[in-house]
Structures are given as C-alpha cells and as structure tokens.
Amino acid sequence: LATTDELTQILNKRGFETQLDHELSIARRHGVGGVMIFVDLDEFKPINDTHGHAAGDEVLRAASVILQGQVRETDYVGRLGGDEFAILLPRSNKRNGLRRAQELDKKLNNAYASWNGIQIPIKASCGIHMYTSRAGLHELMDSADKAMYKIKMERKEKHGIAVR
C-alpha cells in the first residue's frame, strides 16, 4: 500500500520514484537509457467543478486503465499526484518513445469515462524526455514535466507531443 495509489491501483509517486531510481542505477551500470513520458489531464478541474469529485475520480481511474494497457510488462506507470501521471520506458529509444507517447496521446484524447450515465471526455497532454546513463532522478522528472507543460501551451494552437 505504501507504493500503490489507492484510487487508481497503479504506482504512487513514492513507488514510481523507487522504480525510477532502480532503473537509473541499471542504466548507469550498463550504459543504457530510456524514455520517460509525463501525462497531465487537461481541463480536469472543470470536471470536478461541474460533476463533482466522484466524476473526477472516475476520469482518473479510466485514464490509468488506458495508460496501463499501453505499456510493456517491463515499463512502469505511476500517478504522481492530482491529475499527473508518468510512464517509464526503460531501455527504449527516442523513436519508440515518441511513437508510444503519440499512441498514448491519441488513446487518451479519444477516450471517455462513464459516470452516472454520462460520458466525460478525457483530455491529456504528453511530454517525453530521453534519459541516458548519466541522468539523475530529479533532473529527469523535471525535464519530462517541462516537456509536458510545453505541449500544454502549444496545444492551444496545435495538437502534438513535446520532446526534450
């Protein structure tokens, strides 16, 4: 329970950072890297304000199911808090990471959460960051977060994925 998010049943921030730290030590030992994808649900506050927190919880659960369904057995999905998620793709390259982020973006932004007989659209922004064997945990989290916020701003003009 100390590493699992009670609502979504995926890793919580502590659990995700523990796995990330472990994968970074493997990256240093073997000279490999990977990809981190940061996901932030867009327009989440209006869902809570309009339909209530139970509806927001259902959107979070639906998003986590989608995220879990799009990763390999060796990848990690975590809820970092609120409406922010992260996906760690160890030993993945930039091309595959970008493809996976685009697939996630498409799946999330075409999905709905069912709550009390209504379909609530899920909207999300995804940012990716490549990491190397020299990456540090906080640097990697910060860079992926910045890439995600960059796409949130760009999305107002055009749909896409931010890469750092």
Side-chain angles (χ1 to χ4, degrees):
L1 289 177
T3 61
T4 301
D5 179 64
E6 188 177 328
L7 177 67
T8 61
Q9 299 302 305
I10 59 176
L11 292 172
N12 63 18
K13 184 175 182 176
R14 172 190 277 173
F16 186 81
E17 287 182 349
T18 298
Q19 294 302 326
L20 174 58
D21 195 43
H22 174 73
E23 288 298 334
L24 289 174
S25 71
I26 291 171
R28 283 188 290 279
R29 189 174 318 121
H30 298 288
V32 297
V35 175
M36 180 183 284
I37 303 172
F38 241 63
V39 178
D40 187 73
L41 299 184
D42 298 335
E43 303 169 22
F44 185 72
K45 185 177 180 337
I47 293 169
N48 281 336
D49 292 347
T50 303
H51 304 291
H53 290 281
D57 288 352
E58 191 55 40
V59 170
L60 293 170
R61 279 191 286 271
S64 70
V65 167
I66 292 166
L67 296 175
Q68 286 179 293
Q70 296 300 306
V71 298
R72 304 170 297 189
E73 214 173 274
T74 56
D75 299 335
Y76 303 96
V77 178
R79 180 175 173 215
L80 303 181
D83 62 347
E84 291 185 335
F85 297 86
I87 299 136
L88 183 66
L89 310 172
R91 294 164 295 287
S92 193
N93 62 36
K94 185 175 183 174
R95 188 187 84 234
N96 289 334
L98 183 57
R99 181 182 50 78
R100 302 270 298 285
Q102 289 169 333
E103 289 170 2
L104 280 170
D105 185 78
K106 185 176 180 180
K107 287 244 186 225
L108 286 167
N109 285 291
N110 288 296
Y112 293 84
S114 297
W115 183 80
N116 272 1
I118 60 172
Q119 297 294 309
I120 302 170
I122 298 174
K123 298 296 174 203
S125 294
C126 302
I128 75 169
H129 181 75
M130 302 298 304
Y131 68 89
T132 66
S133 59
R134 296 181 307 275
L137 185 140
H138 297 291
E139 165 206 347
L140 178 55
M141 297 280 284
D142 186 53
S143 293
D145 188 44
K146 285 178 181 171
M148 182 272 303
Y149 274 106
K150 179 181 176 190
I151 196 61
K152 270 181 119 46
M153 297 302 123
E154 291 174 358
R155 200 168 278 248
K156 292 181 181 183
E157 296 176 18
K158 183 179 176 180
H159 185 75
I161 303 288
V163 179
R164 289 183 59 95

